[in-house]
């Protein structure tokens, strides 16, 4: 009986791998969706402001990221996170709230989010490199990771760190982003 329960070590894990790839795409789709909503909130509030164009540029890149994962989910019949309506509302609220505090604080929000996303994407790149899996997905994530880093740098260039209460805001946004990632992986 004990023998029966023991699984051969070389057992291929197509299902597990498939599940893991689905998890990666689900959480990345959720993240890019959240990013789109954050920028929509910021764009609405900063209309006519000096950094509106800057935010619009980043927004457009997020739309490209989102589109990729949307297509992947549809093609591979992966369900999106059931929390999407929550990210719809909370993403927008976070974007609008930070922009209401001023353009620097809108930039601080970007810096905090992108710092988390950069780490998140990097760990997926490492994982996909180790398993030699799905190199197209890996290349896309690399490209997106680079663009998220660019967003972070643009935030810093636009004086994000001069925001009043920067460290506090940064920590709150980071914790929120990390929590959203954790939840979107599984739910
Ligand atoms: Fe993105
Ligand atoms: Fe981004």
């Amino acid at each position: 009986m004990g023998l029966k329960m023991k699984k051969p070590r070389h057992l291929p894990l197509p299902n597990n791998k498939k599940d893991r790839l689905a998890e990666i795409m689900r959480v990345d789709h959720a993240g890019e969706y959240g990013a789109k909503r954050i920028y929509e909130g910021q764009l609405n509030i900063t209309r006519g402001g000096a950094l509106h164009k800057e935010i619009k540029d980043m927004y457009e890149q997020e739309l490209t990221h989102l589109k990729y994962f949307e297509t992947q989910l549809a093609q591979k019949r992966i369900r999106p996170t059931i929390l999407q309506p929550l990210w719809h509302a909370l993403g927008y609220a976070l974007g609008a709230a930070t922009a209401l505090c001023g353009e620097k604080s809108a930039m601080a929000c970007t810096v905090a989010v992108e710092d988390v996303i950069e780490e998140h994407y990097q760990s997926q790149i490492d994982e996909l490199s180790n398993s030699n899996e799905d190199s197209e997905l890996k290349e896309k994530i690399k490209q997106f990771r680079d663009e998220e880093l660019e967003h972070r740098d643009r935030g810093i260039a636009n004086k994000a760190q001069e925001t009043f209460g920067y460290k506090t805001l940064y920590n709150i946004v980071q914790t929120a982003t990390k929590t959203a990632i954790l939840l979107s992986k599984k739910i």
Side-chain angles (χ1 to χ4, degrees):
M1 183 166 171
L3 212 94
K4 219 179 166 187
M5 287 173 71
K6 212 172 176 182
K7 286 183 180 160
R9 232 168 270 155
H10 65 270
L11 189 77
L13 301 166
N15 286 329
N16 289 352
K17 269 191 184 164
K18 243 177 103 185
D19 286 353
R20 179 59 193 137
L21 285 175
E23 191 180 275
I24 286 178
M25 289 194 253
R26 178 177 305 121
V27 68
D28 291 355
H29 171 261
E32 297 298 349
Y33 186 79
K36 169 184 179 271
R37 291 297 291 161
I38 289 172
Y39 284 124
E40 280 172 356
Q42 294 190 343
L43 283 171
N44 229 331
I45 302 296
T46 58
R47 217 169 278 157
L51 294 180
H52 188 80
K53 168 81 173 63
E54 187 87 13
I55 296 170
K56 185 99 193 292
D57 287 349
M58 296 194 273
Y59 172 66
E60 269 153 20
Q61 271 178 326
E62 303 299 0
L63 292 184
T64 319
H65 303 171
L66 177 61
K67 183 93 203 118
Y68 173 75
F69 290 115
E70 253 171 22
T71 310
Q72 290 300 307
L73 256 56
Q75 278 176 358
K76 300 190 164 69
R77 294 166 189 242
I78 300 165
R79 66 158 180 84
T81 171
I82 59 165
L83 298 172
Q84 197 167 341
L86 197 64
W87 306 150
H88 181 87
L90 291 180
Y92 187 90
L94 178 64
T98 49
L100 274 170
C101 297
E103 288 191 322
K104 280 181 195 162
S105 116
M107 291 293 139
C109 172
T110 288
V111 174
V113 171
E114 302 298 16
D115 270 347
V116 175
I117 300 303
E118 192 266 324
E119 238 178 74
H120 166 78
Y121 275 157
Q122 187 56 53
S123 79
Q124 289 184 345
I125 294 165
D126 294 343
E127 184 183 343
L128 292 168
S129 300
N130 288 337
S131 62
N132 285 327
E133 271 296 307
D134 207 331
S135 58
E136 188 217 271
L137 174 66
K138 191 175 79 182
E139 288 314 308
K140 282 289 177 190
I141 295 177
K142 270 188 184 168
Q143 181 205 322
F144 298 165
R145 188 265 330 261
D146 290 347
E147 286 167 358
E148 311 298 7
L149 274 174
E150 225 182 276
H151 298 171
R152 201 242 350 238
D153 293 346
R154 285 166 89 154
I156 291 172
N158 285 298
K159 310 197 168 108
Q161 286 146 318
E162 289 176 17
T163 314
F164 179 75
Y166 173 74
K167 216 46 226 162
T168 309
L169 177 65
Y170 181 92
N171 287 334
I172 291 170
V173 175
Q174 275 220 329
T175 306
T177 309
K178 284 179 185 168
T179 310
I181 289 175
L182 250 163
L183 291 171
S184 303
K185 268 187 199 168
K186 300 291 179 195
I187 309 178

